[in-house]
Amino acid sequence: MCGVIGYVGKQPAVPILIDGLRRLEYRGYDSAGIAFLQDGTLHLKRAVGKLANLEASLGGVVSTGSIGIGHTRWATHGRPTEENAHPHRAGRVVVIHNGIIENYLSLKRELVAEGRVFLSETDTEIIAHLIDRAMGEGQPLDVAFRTALARLKGSYAVCAMAESAPDLLVAARQGCPLIVGVGDGEHFIASDVPAILSHTRSVIFLEDGDVVVASAGRLAIIDRQGRPLPRTPVQISWSPAMAEKGGYKHFMLKEIHEQPQALINTIQGRISPETGRVYVNEIGLTPERLRTLTKITIAACGTSWHAGLVGKFLIETLARLPVEVDIASEYRYRDPIIAPTELVVGISQSGETADTLGALREAKARGASTLAICNVMGSTIAREADGVLQTHAGPEIGVASTKAFTCQLVALIEVALALGYERGRLDPQRGKALTDALVQLPAHIDDWLRLSAKGVAAIAKQFAHHNNFLYLGRGINYPIALEGALKLKEISYIHAEGYPAGEMKHGPIALIDEGMPVVVLAPRDVAYDKVINGLMEVKARDGRVIVVVTEGDDEAVGKADASIAVPDLNPLLMPIMLAIPLQLLAYYVAVLRGSDVDQPRNLAKSVTVE
């Protein structure tokens, strides 16, 4: 969950490293550091806290050195201190690392017994010592790097450089994302594409086991034995501007407002306007395989798990196929029953979520078909699954997921429709009505954001001082209650819980008083009357209610303390619409409470370690 950046080429390295770290800071912001060569001497700068502290410590340093590495940290081994910040140095070698070295304690004991001194609490420092030891035995940097890798167990994206090899970067990937950017007489190493978009769109997505040896004019990708590997660059369609704030105060707000276009991107090219049929050929399953499926399991974490819960309703409704939704971090450890006639769907914005990737690997090893729903072309999950459905949401920088979530919901609707049609369980007229409504959905959301978003800001001002919230939803909208509560927790640090509305009487009702705002999702659907009954029970106990209703529902509005109205949509599309005001509510509350919206404490965008 840390950010890794490396550069070797013709330009001054320090500005490129700082710019790359700024674009990677969503991956961790406990500390940051860079190392660079200047006139043959290795320089190391590190600082606790956000990148601005590192920039201040540089104090306007001017360096013409054209090779360096940088790191922004989300702490795993060792507290956020300057000593534990990366890069880590041993003798003539500096190293940056994302991941966890599982056997670091035994390696550290071995190195300490040889007289080596450690200055940090991290697992990463042992990598620098292993490389330095091998170089002391006469091995050049690239060979010493592979010698060190052979001793490591765990997950890593690691990059290293040495004072004695002033024109060489080495890097490797095992279980954590790492890419290579190919420029004109220059090369970049990075954890994620946005870090290098300002310099090149030609990118190689590394695979587990790949080792990179890069200089300004040469790039080699080899295996652990030094044998060359065929890796071809791909051209990234994202522009640098897509990863900028574009005049918005925060990335999160920008990404909320980008949702209409992001949804268009997810829909485009997959629906026949004449028939309403959905074509998702990239899922990698033949029509015969789709017809013989007996079960679907969805594995995901966090917000993506909430998308999976909505997906269960969609697939069971439209395709009449049983669906189980698993928290990916639990899936492998319960010895799941997996049949060859099962499809396991992994949902991950980054395509690098360690637990989701592990779940897909487990399912595949036991003979199930696998499908990835993700947002990053070339990611590990996208490469390893039998099929992949890209959401095309564009880069999402804010740690709290917004547009990636709603695009996941659209992708799941597409999967459900495709399955329903192929299995003969979906009436064509019903399917056509739903796809027509889906095509119109981005316009409805765009109109709502232009006309109604400011009303959510006013409601946030009423309730931002509360420290506990309850969110209630029913049926297909219950997962949106979970997601709304998670958004509030993530960025405002308010304790919030989501519950099925029918479960309120089974415990949560004990918490309700005048200090407990309750957000009630009450669109006009089959569960409407039941939800309103729950709303009245909250009011009877002096709870304060924020109700989200279908436009024109004056009855529900009159029973609440505050209300948000959304367009009257097909009930299967309503979860997408309902998610957006809840995203805005969390955003405005967090801003009013002075929270760091884009980089909330203790969180990182992509969880790439278990």
Side-chain angles (χ1 to χ4, degrees), residues 2 21 39 67 77 132 175 184 191-192 196 266 292 300 313 317 322 334 352 384-385 396 409 431 489 582 590 601:
C2 303
L21 290 179
D39 299 326
I67 183 171
H77 287 68
D132 185 64
D184 181 13
S191 295
D192 202 357
I196 62 172
T266 308
T292 57
F313 282 92
T317 299
R334 65 174 180 83
E352 302 291 349
E384 293 195 11
E396 188 178 70
L409 296 182
K489 275 187 278 197
L582 301 191
R601 69 188 183 203

Side-chain angles (χ1 to χ4, degrees), residues 35-56:
F36 57 94
L37 278 170
Q38 177 69 32
D39 299 326
T41 301
L42 193 60
H43 297 265
L44 182 64
K45 290 284 186 179
R46 302 181 296 185
V48 176
K50 296 194 174 181
L51 183 62
N53 297 341
L54 174 64
E55 292 182 272

Side-chain angles (χ1 to χ4, degrees), residues 472-474 477 519-525 527-528 531-532 535 546-550 553 556 574 578:
L472 300 177
R474 193 142 189 167
N477 298 316
V519 180
V520 179
L521 303 180
R524 285 276 188 189
D525 59 17
Y528 175 78
V531 172
I532 295 301
L535 184 157
I546 304 167
V547 67
V548 187
V549 298
T550 306
D553 185 0
M574 191 57 83
L578 292 176

Side-chain angles (χ1 to χ4, degrees), residues 118-130:
F118 284 76
L119 304 177
S120 77
E121 305 168 277
T122 71
D123 53 344
T124 302
E125 193 178 353
I126 63 113
I127 305 173
H129 280 283
L130 289 171

